[in-house]
Amino acid sequence: MSADSSVQASAERLRDAWGARRPKAAVVLGSGWAGMVQDLEAPIDVPYGELPAFPPLGIAGHAACVRLARLPRRPDGGAEVSAGADVMVLMGRQHAYETGDATAMRGAVQTVAALGCPVLVVTNAAGSLHTQWPAGSLMALSDHLNLVQRSPLQGVTGSARFVDMAQAYDPQLRARALEATARVGATLHEGVYAWMMGPQFETPAEIRMLQRLGADAVGMSTVPETIAARHAGLRVLAISLMTNMAAGLSAETLSHEQTLRAAAANEQRAAQVLCAILQSIVD
Ligand code: HPA
């Protein structure tokens, strides 16, 4: 099956499952963000295995399905229009570090666009490069450093592949996200995310390098999805949940278990913030 026809087949399978319902935004869930699905109503799940453009998933702790579901009503009693808006949640991602393939999520992102969904919200867990942003801090990406220098558009043809990456992270969506986060009494920082291939964590020397390059957070995802989304014409908002201070910035030993523990400890608040942000975006 060609890449294009697998995207069309995936979109068709989702449309069949959804009937007349359509999402107003799509979300890719990273570690620590899965709690938001519990706040959604009337879910319809389609496993990635039934969607030919979606990746097979290997990493434990990640469900592998697309969930269409309704956002809850806004608790502040405002904006009735947001009640019942559907969102499409991509529960699980394939990372480039698993296979060396930065195109892993391209088909999934293109399927979002093929469904006519205008916005992609990408979430992740990240290491913090600021001592004043401890584990549990949230950051909206204002920009990124693609230090891996790989592209999800490898193999794509046509002039559209030369994507403008200035303002890849939509300033208007970010402004809405900042307001929505403040409304629920939380803080959303803004900063630059450095993509490192992993799966090993960084060395302290690498973290000092990233600080000098102007990065505020470091992680192993999100950048390929954002590039694919911009190519597909989607507006992008991306948010990091800091699960640890980056290597050398604290005495803590980094491990995947530690990342998952910190992610779990902050899951409820992250979920609340994400729901508030989505409500403000689909209004
Ligand atoms: N480095 C890279 N990726 C990460 C980190 C980190 O410190 N924490 C969570 N994901």
Side-chain angles (χ1 to χ4, degrees):
M1 203 184 277
S2 75
D4 265 0
S5 54
S6 72
V7 167
Q8 290 315 322
S10 302
E12 208 165 301
R13 171 74 188 88
L14 289 167
R15 274 192 222 103
D16 280 351
W18 295 345
R21 291 168 64 185
R22 290 290 174 271
K24 288 199 166 171
V27 189
V28 181
L29 289 185
S31 303
W33 292 94
M36 65 88 62
V37 295
Q38 282 149 27
D39 296 336
L40 304 181
E41 293 152 14
I44 299 173
D45 287 351
V46 178
Y48 283 9
E50 296 178 19
L51 303 168
F54 281 60
L57 286 191
I59 193 159
H62 285 266
C65 74
V66 175
R67 174 168 296 181
L68 182 81
R70 290 201 184 103
L71 289 170
R73 256 166 238 277
R74 264 167 53 160
D76 61 9
E80 276 300 298
V81 276
S82 71
D86 273 318
V87 293
M88 158 184 187
V89 187
L90 278 58
M91 298 170 68
R93 57 155 58 98
Q94 192 174 75
H95 297 84
Y97 63 67
E98 294 174 62
T99 59
D101 180 8
T103 71
M105 292 296 287
R106 184 173 83 206
V109 170
Q110 289 178 337
T111 301
V112 171
L115 287 160
C117 180
V119 170
L120 183 68
V121 178
V122 189
T123 63
N124 63 51
S128 169
L129 272 62
H130 284 289
T131 43
Q132 65 276 32
W133 297 359
S137 301
L138 298 169
M139 182 190 91
L141 277 63
S142 57
D143 208 339
H144 72 226
L145 294 168
N146 179 354
L147 293 165
V148 174
Q149 280 298 293
R150 302 283 291 279
S151 173
L153 303 180
Q154 193 171 343
V156 171
T157 55
S159 57
R161 77 187 124 153
F162 301 105
V163 185
D164 179 18
M165 291 298 291
Q167 304 207 320
Y169 301 93
D170 192 285
Q172 284 165 350
L173 292 180
R174 201 156 72 245
R176 283 190 171 220
L178 288 168
E179 281 166 24
T181 309
R183 250 200 321 269
V184 295
T187 302
L188 185 61
H189 303 288
E190 290 180 83
V192 174
Y193 174 93
W195 176 32
M196 296 291 269
M197 179 64 116
Q200 74 286 352
F201 287 103
E202 299 71 34
T203 64
E206 286 168 342
I207 294 302
R208 288 193 296 275
M209 171 188 78
L210 296 181
Q211 287 176 317
R212 284 181 196 163
L213 293 178
D216 301 291
V218 58
M220 305 175 193
S221 67
T222 299
V223 166
E225 292 141 33
T226 298
I227 297 169
R230 294 304 297 143
H231 174 253
L234 298 170
R235 297 170 70 197
V236 177
L237 172 71
I239 314 171
S240 294
L241 166 65
M242 308 300 174
T243 51
N244 54 280
M245 294 309 301
L249 299 182
S250 83
E252 193 172 46
T253 302
L254 300 185
S255 68
H256 188 54
E257 291 65 37
Q258 189 281 333
T259 298
L260 294 181
R261 257 198 318 276
N266 291 287
E267 191 150 1
Q268 223 173 351
R269 199 174 38 89
Q272 186 196 15
V273 167
L274 184 52
C275 274
I277 288 173
L278 288 169
Q279 279 160 333
S280 77
I281 286 174
V282 301
D283 267 359

